Amino acid sequence: AAGVIQSPRHLIKEKRETATLKCYPIPRHDTVYWYQQGPGQDPQFLISFYEKMQSDKGSIPDRFSAQQFSDYHSELNMSSLELGDSALYFCASRFGGAEAFFGQGTRLTVV
Amino acid sequence: AQKVTQAQTEISVVEKEDVTLDCVYETRDTTYYLFWYKQPPSGELVFLIRRNSFDEQNEISGRYSWNFQKSTSSFNFTITASQVVDSAVYFCALSSTGTASKLTFGTGTRLQVTL
C-alpha cells in the first residue's frame, strides 16, 4: 500500500539559508499535517491542511510557511534557518477521523 | 486544551517480560480519538492503534493489548513476552473528532528490552 512520502530524507543547511521539505500524502487522504520533533522530544504540531486549505496552526515560527498544492502534495518552506531548527520533520496524512499515517521524516541539520 | 501524560520516561525489561506503558489524557471533548505510535531507533513513527472514545472495549493484537478506561482517562498499552525488537519510544496521542483535528502527543516512553 502507498505510504506518505517525504523528501529529502536528510538535509544539511547553513544558518540563514532556506530549506524546502516536500510531502506526498497517501492518495485520497484529505488532511495533511506537519510536525517537528527535536532530539528526545515528542512531535510538535506545526500546521495542517484540509482539502488544500490551511486548517490549523500550531507553534510554527513566522520564518516557516507551508502550502498544499492542487495535486495534494505539500511543502514546508523554512527561511533564515537557525541552529535550533535542527530536528526531524514529519508529514502525516489522514482520511477523516481515521488513523494518521506518518512519513519517514526529513532530518534537517543546520550548521 | 488537550494534554497527554506519559509519566514513565524510560522502562527497561528483560526479554520475555510483560510490560505496561501508561497513558493518561485530558480533554474537554465528549468524543475523541486515542492513538499509540511506535518510534524505533530508525526514527519513523509507526501507527499501532486508534481507539474511539465511545468504544471502551479492550483490544488485543498478537502480543499487544490496550486497556481503555474512560472513567480514569487512561489508555494503557501492554506488551506481552517482550522482545528485543520492541525496543523503541512509544507515544500516546489524542485528537478531537472534528475535521482535520491535530494529534497531541505525550512525551513518550522509551522501552529498552535486553536479552
Side-chain angles (χ1 to χ4, degrees), chain B residues 21 30 33 44 46 66 91 102:
Chain B
L21 310 181
T30 52
Y33 296 113
E44 69 270 27
V46 179
W66 290 269
F91 289 99
K102 67 185 180 188

mmCIF file of all heavy atoms in Angstrom, chain B residues 21 30 33 44 46 66 91 102:
data_model
loop_
_atom_site.group_PDB
_atom_site.id
_atom_site.type_symbol
_atom_site.label_atom_id
_atom_site.label_comp_id
_atom_site.label_asym_id
_atom_site.label_seq_id
_atom_site.Cartn_x
_atom_site.Cartn_y
_atom_site.Cartn_z
ATOM 1 N N LEU B 21 2.788 0.212 29.411
ATOM 2 C CA LEU B 21 3.088 1.630 29.230
ATOM 3 C C LEU B 21 1.826 2.429 29.556
ATOM 4 O O LEU B 21 0.755 2.152 29.011
ATOM 5 C CB LEU B 21 3.538 1.906 27.791
ATOM 6 C CG LEU B 21 4.642 0.995 27.246
ATOM 7 C CD1 LEU B 21 5.010 1.406 25.824
ATOM 8 C CD2 LEU B 21 5.852 0.994 28.137
ATOM 9 N N THR B 30 -16.265 15.590 24.287
ATOM 10 C CA THR B 30 -17.043 14.425 24.710
ATOM 11 C C THR B 30 -16.731 13.216 23.833
ATOM 12 O O THR B 30 -16.892 12.078 24.254
ATOM 13 C CB THR B 30 -18.555 14.735 24.636
ATOM 14 O OG1 THR B 30 -18.858 15.238 23.340
ATOM 15 C CG2 THR B 30 -18.940 15.764 25.687
ATOM 16 N N TYR B 33 -10.416 10.704 19.824
ATOM 17 C CA TYR B 33 -9.683 9.517 19.424
ATOM 18 C C TYR B 33 -8.386 9.427 20.226
ATOM 19 O O TYR B 33 -7.755 10.450 20.509
ATOM 20 C CB TYR B 33 -9.310 9.570 17.939
ATOM 21 C CG TYR B 33 -10.475 9.579 16.980
ATOM 22 C CD1 TYR B 33 -10.746 10.698 16.204
ATOM 23 C CD2 TYR B 33 -11.293 8.472 16.833
ATOM 24 C CE1 TYR B 33 -11.796 10.714 15.308
ATOM 25 C CE2 TYR B 33 -12.350 8.472 15.939
ATOM 26 C CZ TYR B 33 -12.602 9.605 15.188
ATOM 27 O OH TYR B 33 -13.652 9.621 14.301
ATOM 28 N N GLU B 44 11.223 6.465 12.251
ATOM 29 C CA GLU B 44 9.873 6.655 11.714
ATOM 30 C C GLU B 44 8.824 6.477 12.812
ATOM 31 O O GLU B 44 9.082 5.849 13.836
ATOM 32 C CB GLU B 44 9.598 5.688 10.553
ATOM 33 C CG GLU B 44 9.484 4.230 10.943
ATOM 34 C CD GLU B 44 10.778 3.480 10.913
ATOM 35 O OE1 GLU B 44 11.848 4.112 11.095
ATOM 36 O OE2 GLU B 44 10.743 2.260 10.715
ATOM 37 N N VAL B 46 5.438 4.748 13.673
ATOM 38 C CA VAL B 46 4.632 3.637 13.181
ATOM 39 C C VAL B 46 3.323 3.580 13.947
ATOM 40 O O VAL B 46 3.311 3.494 15.180
ATOM 41 C CB VAL B 46 5.392 2.298 13.349
ATOM 42 C CG1 VAL B 46 4.542 1.145 12.855
ATOM 43 C CG2 VAL B 46 6.726 2.342 12.610
ATOM 44 N N TRP B 66 -4.472 -3.352 24.636
ATOM 45 C CA TRP B 66 -4.733 -1.989 25.075
ATOM 46 C C TRP B 66 -5.916 -1.980 26.021
ATOM 47 O O TRP B 66 -6.925 -2.644 25.774
ATOM 48 C CB TRP B 66 -5.033 -1.081 23.873
ATOM 49 C CG TRP B 66 -3.823 -0.846 23.026
ATOM 50 C CD1 TRP B 66 -2.923 0.172 23.149
ATOM 51 C CD2 TRP B 66 -3.382 -1.650 21.944
ATOM 52 N NE1 TRP B 66 -1.930 0.041 22.203
ATOM 53 C CE2 TRP B 66 -2.190 -1.066 21.443
ATOM 54 C CE3 TRP B 66 -3.845 -2.809 21.328
ATOM 55 C CZ2 TRP B 66 -1.476 -1.590 20.377
ATOM 56 C CZ3 TRP B 66 -3.135 -3.345 20.265
ATOM 57 C CH2 TRP B 66 -1.953 -2.736 19.791
ATOM 58 N N PHE B 91 4.686 6.483 21.796
ATOM 59 C CA PHE B 91 3.940 7.710 22.035
ATOM 60 C C PHE B 91 2.445 7.425 22.072
ATOM 61 O O PHE B 91 1.914 6.722 21.212
ATOM 62 C CB PHE B 91 4.199 8.730 20.914
ATOM 63 C CG PHE B 91 5.584 9.321 20.924
ATOM 64 C CD1 PHE B 91 6.566 8.837 20.072
ATOM 65 C CD2 PHE B 91 5.897 10.371 21.779
ATOM 66 C CE1 PHE B 91 7.837 9.378 20.071
ATOM 67 C CE2 PHE B 91 7.166 10.933 21.786
ATOM 68 C CZ PHE B 91 8.135 10.424 20.931
ATOM 69 N N LYS B 102 -5.828 18.015 14.897
ATOM 70 C CA LYS B 102 -4.427 17.631 15.074
ATOM 71 C C LYS B 102 -4.313 16.558 16.141
ATOM 72 O O LYS B 102 -5.188 16.388 16.997
ATOM 73 C CB LYS B 102 -3.608 18.851 15.494
ATOM 74 C CG LYS B 102 -3.981 19.352 16.883
ATOM 75 C CD LYS B 102 -3.259 20.618 17.244
ATOM 76 C CE LYS B 102 -3.656 21.072 18.644
ATOM 77 N NZ LYS B 102 -3.135 22.398 18.968
#
